Amino acid sequence: MLGGALLGMKAPIFMCFVAFALPGVIASLAVLCVRKKKRDIAVAGQEAETLFT
């Protein structure tokens, strides 16, 4: 539907590509941030265990 709407508004093909590619880029960056935070929490937990044992 988005592609049809963009083509109906006579948007350039480049803008159609950007409209479909941008959400994927944002989602991949969000996934990378979530994975990094989980890894940081795991490392912090291991450091805490080392301190208290």
Side-chain angles (χ1 to χ4, degrees), residues 17-38:
F17 174 77
V18 170
F20 285 106
L22 193 59
V25 170
I26 292 171
S28 64
L29 291 175
V31 167
L32 288 174
C33 290
V34 169
R35 294 179 108 191
K36 183 179 179 198
K37 285 184 180 182
K38 283 185 178 180

Side-chain angles (χ1 to χ4, degrees), residues 3-23:
L6 288 171
L7 291 174
M9 294 186 304
K10 296 186 170 79
I13 297 298
F14 177 75
M15 290 303 295
C16 295
F17 174 77
V18 170
F20 285 106
L22 193 59

